Structures are given as structure tokens and as C-alpha cells.
Amino acid sequence: MLQDRFGRAVEYVRLSVTDRCDLRCSYCIPKGFKDFAEPEDWLTFAEIERVIGAFVRLGARRVRLTGGEPLLRRGVVDLAARLAALPGLRDLSVSTNGTQLARLAGPLKAAGVGRVNVSLDSLRRECMAEVTGCDSLPQVLDGLKAAKAAGLTPIKLNMVLLPGVNDQDVESMVAFCIEHGFILRLIEAMPMGDSGRSVGYLDAQGVLARLRARFDLRPQTVSLGGGPARYWATADGRFTLGVISPISQHFC
């Protein structure tokens, strides 16, 4: 079994299958950036299967496909099927910006993917265009509809908190998640690189306090995944909120 120096079992692996993305989010990719890795340098599917197979034999039980945008990797559904078939793997998930989900949600579910995390920073079309660099909201909403219809569950929406950009949209995102049965996760922007430092910082604790008072959120002791989010839920269980706060509450 893989263990860290505190004796904790390591059972969660995140696998980046490409660094390429079809969006240019303001907090992620610098304007004009084109220095992506060349495909011939990527691990092949056979190599990925071999590496993840080794992790599973060492006790990993959960694998998440990430990027860049992982659904841009040609043949990613076939890769998912190969990984889902590994004996001992219990949970295969995907983090995505949602632009490709409308066509791939069903095939991914059939291949063995159980759940998805989708980046969605606002329900306002103009705000999403500002953040992502293109008119992406209709594609993402279509992708969420397809993911829900395919039975991918739970669906978590990742919302990066951006001061003066989408801080006024949090309550509408909560209402949207209650309506559709999604989990909302609020993420503090990491000041990494010029892009991360330029978007500013919004303390998630202030937003959390606002939401706890309005929706009577209660802390949850059960983790909903292998990541660093802390979770709260309404008393009736209709809504769950996760907070990833690397600045205000260091999780490392």
C-alpha cells in the first residue's frame, strides 16, 4: 500500500491526459499562450494503463482524468474504458470545462466513468465570455443536461471566486444547483503565475458565512471525494456546498 509519512493510505490519483484546452480562462492561461506540449510527448494509452494499473495494485482506488481539458484527448472514451476495467479500481471520474460533454457524456458513462466535475463560474452569458474568452455558456449548459441524462452522479460544479467578476453570482448558482441536484464547490483563486495573481483574491470564508446564514448550512463530516474540499449541506439534504480554500484555510 502507498502511504505518506503520516501513515495515511494514498488511494486517489489524478491523471492529466493533455495540457491543451479550448477555453482561455482568465485565472488559468495567460493571453497569447501557445506553449503546449507536443502530442508525441504524451503518454500513450498503453503507458497510461500500465502506470494506473501499478497505482491500483498499490492500493489506489479512485482515479480522476484531468487536463487541460481531458475530453479534447482523442480516444478518451476508449482510455476511460481501459482504466475502468482495471481490477480493484472503484471510482473513475473526470474534471472538465463541459464544452464537450453534450456529445461525450453518454459514451463516458457507458465506458465506466461514474461522475464529473464541471467548471462553471457564472450563469451569466457575458460573464462566462469574459472569464473563458469565448461564448461558452450554452455549450456548458448543454453538457450538464447531457451528463445528468446519462446518469453521471454526483455532478459537481466548480466555481472560482473572482472579486468584482462573479461574486454576485453565488446565490444564483446555489439556486441552480438546488434545482438540478448538483453540488456546488467554491474555489479560491490560486495566485500562481501572472494569470493567477492578476484576477485578485476573494476570501471564501466571507461567502461561506453569507450562505450558511441564508441556507442554514451545516458542516458535514463525510468527505465527498479524495480532494481538499470541506463540505456543508442543508438540513433537508437538498443542497451540498463544498469549499476549497487554499489561501484562507491552508489544506496542505
Coordinates of all heavy atoms in Angstrom, one line a residue, residues 9-14 61-64 91 93 115 117 156 185 222-231 244 251:
A9 N -3.1 6.2 4.0 CA -3.1 5.5 2.7 C -3.3 6.5 1.5 O -4.2 7.4 1.6 CB -4.2 4.4 2.7
V10 N -2.6 6.3 0.5 CA -2.8 7.1 -0.7 C -3.6 6.3 -1.7 O -3.1 5.3 -2.3 CB -1.4 7.5 -1.4 CG1 -1.6 8.3 -2.7 CG2 -0.6 8.3 -0.4
E11 N -4.9 6.7 -1.9 CA -5.7 5.9 -2.8 C -6.4 6.7 -3.9 O -7.2 6.2 -4.6 CB -6.8 5.2 -1.9 CG -7.8 6.2 -1.2 CD -9.0 5.5 -0.7 OE1 -9.0 4.3 -0.4 OE2 -10.0 6.2 -0.5
Y12 N -5.9 7.9 -4.1 CA -6.5 8.8 -5.1 C -5.5 9.3 -6.0 O -4.5 9.9 -5.6 CB -7.2 10.0 -4.3 CG -7.8 11.1 -5.2 CD1 -8.6 10.8 -6.3 CD2 -7.7 12.4 -4.8 CE1 -9.1 11.8 -7.1 CE2 -8.3 13.4 -5.6 CZ -9.0 13.1 -6.7 OH -9.6 14.1 -7.5
V13 N -5.7 9.1 -7.3 CA -4.7 9.5 -8.3 C -5.4 10.4 -9.3 O -6.5 10.1 -9.9 CB -4.1 8.3 -9.1 CG1 -3.1 8.8 -10.2 CG2 -3.4 7.4 -8.1
R14 N -4.8 11.6 -9.6 CA -5.2 12.5 -10.7 C -4.3 12.3 -11.9 O -3.1 12.4 -11.8 CB -5.2 13.9 -10.2 CG -6.2 14.2 -9.1 CD -6.1 15.6 -8.5 NE -6.4 16.6 -9.5 CZ -7.6 17.1 -9.6 NH1 -8.6 16.7 -8.8 NH2 -7.9 18.0 -10.5
R61 N -7.6 3.5 -5.4 CA -9.0 3.0 -5.7 C -9.8 4.1 -6.5 O -10.9 3.7 -7.0 CB -9.7 2.7 -4.4 CG -9.1 1.5 -3.6 CD -9.2 0.2 -4.4 NE -8.6 -0.9 -3.8 CZ -7.4 -1.4 -4.2 NH1 -6.7 -0.8 -5.2 NH2 -6.9 -2.4 -3.6
R62 N -9.3 5.3 -6.5 CA -10.0 6.4 -7.2 C -9.1 7.1 -8.2 O -7.9 7.4 -7.8 CB -10.6 7.4 -6.2 CG -11.7 6.8 -5.4 CD -12.2 7.9 -4.4 NE -11.2 8.1 -3.3 CZ -11.5 8.8 -2.2 NH1 -12.6 9.5 -2.1 NH2 -10.6 9.0 -1.3
V63 N -9.5 7.2 -9.4 CA -8.7 7.9 -10.4 C -9.6 9.0 -11.1 O -10.8 8.7 -11.4 CB -8.2 6.9 -11.5 CG1 -7.6 7.7 -12.7 CG2 -7.2 5.9 -10.9
R64 N -9.0 10.2 -11.3 CA -9.7 11.3 -11.9 C -8.9 11.7 -13.2 O -7.7 11.9 -13.1 CB -9.8 12.5 -11.0 CG -10.4 13.7 -11.7 CD -10.7 14.8 -10.7 NE -11.7 14.4 -9.7 CZ -13.0 14.4 -9.9 NH1 -13.5 14.8 -11.0 NH2 -13.8 14.0 -9.0
D91 N -13.6 3.8 -8.5 CA -14.2 5.1 -8.9 C -13.4 5.8 -10.0 O -12.2 6.1 -9.8 CB -14.2 6.0 -7.6 CG -14.8 7.4 -7.9 OD1 -15.7 7.5 -8.7 OD2 -14.3 8.4 -7.3
S93 N -13.5 9.1 -12.4 CA -14.2 10.4 -12.6 C -13.4 11.3 -13.6 O -12.3 11.0 -14.0 CB -14.4 11.1 -11.3 OG -13.2 11.3 -10.6
R115 N -18.7 9.8 -12.4 CA -19.1 11.2 -12.1 C -18.2 12.2 -12.7 O -17.2 11.8 -13.2 CB -19.1 11.3 -10.5 CG -17.8 11.0 -9.9 CD -17.9 10.8 -8.4 NE -16.6 10.4 -7.8 CZ -15.7 11.3 -7.3 NH1 -16.0 12.6 -7.4 NH2 -14.6 10.9 -6.8
N117 N -16.8 16.5 -12.5 CA -16.7 17.9 -12.0 C -16.7 18.8 -13.2 O -15.9 18.6 -14.1 CB -15.5 18.1 -11.2 CG -15.5 17.3 -9.8 OD1 -16.5 16.6 -9.6 ND2 -14.5 17.5 -9.0
K156 N -20.6 17.8 -9.8 CA -20.1 18.9 -9.0 C -19.8 20.1 -9.9 O -19.1 19.9 -10.9 CB -18.9 18.5 -8.2 CG -19.1 17.4 -7.2 CD -17.8 17.0 -6.5 CE -18.0 15.8 -5.5 NZ -16.8 15.4 -4.9
R185 N -19.2 23.8 -5.6 CA -17.9 23.9 -4.9 C -17.3 25.3 -5.2 O -17.1 25.7 -6.4 CB -16.9 22.8 -5.3 CG -17.5 21.4 -5.1 CD -16.5 20.4 -4.9 NE -15.5 20.4 -6.0 CZ -14.4 19.6 -6.0 NH1 -14.2 18.8 -5.0 NH2 -13.6 19.6 -7.0
V222 N -18.5 13.7 6.5 CA -18.2 12.7 5.4 C -17.6 13.4 4.2 O -18.2 14.3 3.7 CB -19.4 11.9 5.0 CG1 -19.1 10.9 3.9 CG2 -20.0 11.1 6.2
S223 N -16.4 13.0 3.7 CA -15.8 13.5 2.6 C -16.5 13.0 1.3 O -16.9 11.9 1.2 CB -14.3 13.2 2.5 OG -13.7 13.7 1.3
L224 N -16.7 13.9 0.3 CA -17.3 13.6 -0.9 C -16.3 13.5 -2.0 O -16.4 14.2 -3.0 CB -18.4 14.6 -1.3 CG -19.6 14.7 -0.3 CD1 -20.6 15.7 -0.7 CD2 -20.3 13.3 -0.1
G225 N -15.3 12.7 -1.9 CA -14.2 12.6 -2.8 C -12.9 12.6 -2.1 O -12.8 12.7 -0.9
G226 N -11.8 12.5 -2.9 CA -10.5 12.5 -2.4 C -9.8 13.8 -2.3 O -8.6 13.9 -1.9
G227 N -10.5 14.9 -2.6 CA -9.8 16.2 -2.7 C -9.9 17.0 -1.4 O -10.3 16.4 -0.4
P228 N -9.5 18.2 -1.4 CA -9.3 19.0 -0.2 C -10.6 19.8 0.2 O -10.5 20.6 1.2 CB -8.2 20.0 -0.5 CG -8.4 20.2 -2.0 CD -8.9 18.9 -2.6
A229 N -11.7 19.6 -0.5 CA -12.9 20.4 -0.2 C -13.5 20.1 1.2 O -13.5 18.9 1.6 CB -14.0 20.2 -1.2
R230 N -14.0 21.1 1.9 CA -14.7 21.0 3.1 C -16.2 21.2 2.7 O -16.5 22.1 2.0 CB -14.3 22.0 4.2 CG -12.9 21.8 4.7 CD -12.5 22.9 5.6 NE -11.2 22.7 6.2 CZ -10.1 23.2 5.7 NH1 -10.1 24.0 4.6 NH2 -8.9 23.0 6.3
Y231 N -17.1 20.3 3.3 CA -18.5 20.3 2.8 C -19.5 20.7 3.9 O -19.3 20.5 5.1 CB -18.8 18.9 2.3 CG -18.2 18.6 1.0 CD1 -17.0 17.9 0.9 CD2 -18.8 19.0 -0.2 CE1 -16.4 17.6 -0.3 CE2 -18.2 18.8 -1.4 CZ -17.1 18.1 -1.5 OH -16.5 17.8 -2.7
I244 N -13.2 25.0 -1.3 CA -11.7 24.7 -1.5 C -11.0 26.0 -1.2 O -11.1 27.0 -2.0 CB -11.4 24.1 -2.8 CG1 -12.2 22.8 -3.0 CG2 -9.9 23.9 -3.0 CD1 -12.0 22.2 -4.4
F251 N -4.9 23.9 3.2 CA -5.3 22.5 3.3 C -4.0 21.5 3.2 O -4.2 20.3 3.4 CB -6.3 22.0 2.3 CG -6.0 22.4 0.9 CD1 -4.9 21.8 0.2 CD2 -6.7 23.4 0.2 CE1 -4.7 22.1 -1.1 CE2 -6.5 23.7 -1.1 CZ -5.4 23.1 -1.8

